[in-house]
Amino acid sequence: MRPQDILLPTAAGLCCKPGGFHIDPVRPVERAVITHGHSDHARAGHGAVLATQETLDMMRLRYGENFAGSTQAIRYGEEIRLGDVRVKFHPAGHVLGSAQVAVTCQDTCIVASGDYKDAADPTCTPFELVPCDVFITEATFGLPVFRHGDAADEVKKLLASVALFPERAHLVGAYSLGKAQRVIALLRQAGYDAPIYLHGAMEKITHYYQSRGIALGELRPVKGVKKAALAGTITLAPPSATSDLWTRRFPDPVTAFASGWMRVRARARQRGVELPLVISDHADWDGLTSTIGATGAGEIWVTHGQEDALVHWCQSNGLKARPLDLVGYGDEEESETPIPDEAEA
């Protein structure tokens, strides 16, 4: 069976006709298989949703109890049959509960990676390499300029700034699912044991991480804390909150932003970021190319991101490759809007 007879790009997303489902559909469908909880991949309104328990819980936190007609949790390594295909979930290393979806029909195995990273992360299960015939890779940072380096070194920069400016508050812009918790865990690993403050939009998901056994130390809501008391502290907030009136409650704040995009200095300047931190939950160029090679896949489908450069690299290395041109996916930042809270405005 040809790969395109198993998975096919459609307006609603990646469709598996022999299995009767879509992977990360961007429109409501009858049956959805969801790779992870970021809102450009996990949308409400589907008839039935199959995902890891953590992803289902994230969707419930964001969309309410009735986000889908029905749900089914699947564990890493568990295989189930849907229609004429076998589906198996493997860790993607992106955020808590994130998964790659291996779809096997007859003798052909296609792995849809969702979003993934091969770098160490204390807050989620590490990426697992899955041998396959076709590998569907993201390309968020699919250009050679994007080499992220060690996230622990970036956290050291943040702590050095805190030590240098004890009279100033440090505001760290970070996506509320995954990035914020990883930054907190990295701070703890670096020996920072003071309370870390949270914007209201961060609290639910961060407390959920703690409920799943992720050690994040003492966390406090920043709401209601007096301005003077925030000198020398670190607060995590959604990226959009670090550039609005909300920041006036902090003493002479140092604005930081934890993102792979901070590799591009013009982006940091454009956002008014004083302390760019190159910390990404996506694979960088080296991570993408090494993963592609290691899967052993003879055919690579590239989606959401810098598709052309990665397709060219694949073809130059003797691999069959094509862009999927799926629409509706983007960087988490575009869909990470703070939860409305009058007291946080």
Side-chain angles (χ1 to χ4, degrees), residues 30 32 34 43 46-53 55-57 59-60 64-74:
E30 189 176 329
I34 306 294
R43 292 168 164 86
H46 305 306
V49 170
L50 175 72
T52 63
Q53 186 62 59
T55 295
L56 294 174
D57 290 343
M59 295 179 76
R60 203 166 278 114
E65 285 294 329
N66 301 316
F67 69 86
S70 65
T71 62
Q72 181 180 349
I74 182 171

Side-chain angles (χ1 to χ4, degrees), residues 89-330:
F89 273 38
H90 301 269
H94 178 54
V95 297
L96 185 64
S98 62
Q100 306 171 79
V101 179
V103 179
T104 304
C105 189
Q106 296 177 9
D107 293 327
T108 300
C109 176
I110 303 176
V111 170
S113 65
D115 289 336
Y116 68 96
K117 71 173 180 294
D118 55 346
D121 182 341
T123 66
C124 65
T125 306
F127 175 84
E128 178 186 318
L129 189 72
V130 184
C132 53
D133 301 297
V134 179
F135 184 58
I136 304 175
T137 181
E138 61 143 315
T140 303
F141 293 106
L143 289 172
V145 68
F146 291 113
R147 288 181 164 90
H148 297 326
D150 189 348
D153 290 338
E154 299 299 297
V155 165
K156 286 177 185 174
K157 292 180 190 175
L158 172 59
L159 291 176
S161 181
V162 172
L164 190 61
F165 302 111
E167 74 287 358
R168 303 178 69 183
H170 281 67
L171 299 184
V172 182
Y175 310 134
S176 61
L177 168 52
K179 185 69 62 62
Q181 297 77 26
R182 185 182 179 202
V183 169
I184 293 168
L186 288 169
L187 282 165
R188 300 311 189 195
Q189 284 189 342
Y192 185 78
D193 58 5
I196 293 173
Y197 290 86
L198 299 178
H199 182 286
M202 296 287 186
E203 292 181 32
K204 279 186 182 178
I205 291 174
T206 304
H207 294 325
Y208 175 77
Y209 265 67
Q210 291 179 303
S211 78
R212 302 297 287 189
I214 308 298
L216 299 176
E218 185 182 351
L219 305 174
R220 296 180 183 174
V222 76
K223 187 168 105 179
V225 180
K226 293 192 183 313
K227 187 172 185 175
L230 292 169
T233 63
I234 297 174
T235 297
L236 275 288
S240 57
T242 63
S243 57
D244 68 15
L245 296 175
W246 181 79
T247 63
R248 292 184 181 179
R249 70 179 62 198
F250 296 90
D252 192 16
V254 176
T255 301
F257 184 24
S259 171
W261 296 113
M262 292 297 98
R263 177 62 67 198
V264 182
R265 290 181 182 177
R267 280 220 181 196
R269 286 195 300 269
Q270 183 182 16
R271 296 188 64 113
V273 175
E274 188 173 345
L275 182 62
L277 303 172
V278 184
I279 301 175
S280 177
D281 285 335
H282 297 264
D284 64 3
W285 176 258
D286 292 333
L288 292 167
T289 55
S290 64
T291 299
I292 287 168
T295 63
E299 188 169 345
I300 309 298
W301 297 351
V302 184
T303 185
H304 54 289
Q306 306 289 339
E307 297 179 354
D308 293 346
L310 202 53
V311 167
H312 177 74
W313 180 89
C314 291
Q315 292 171 342
S316 300
N317 283 272
L319 298 171
K320 188 177 178 182
R322 69 183 181 101
L324 278 188
D325 297 319
L326 291 171
V327 296
Y329 303 102

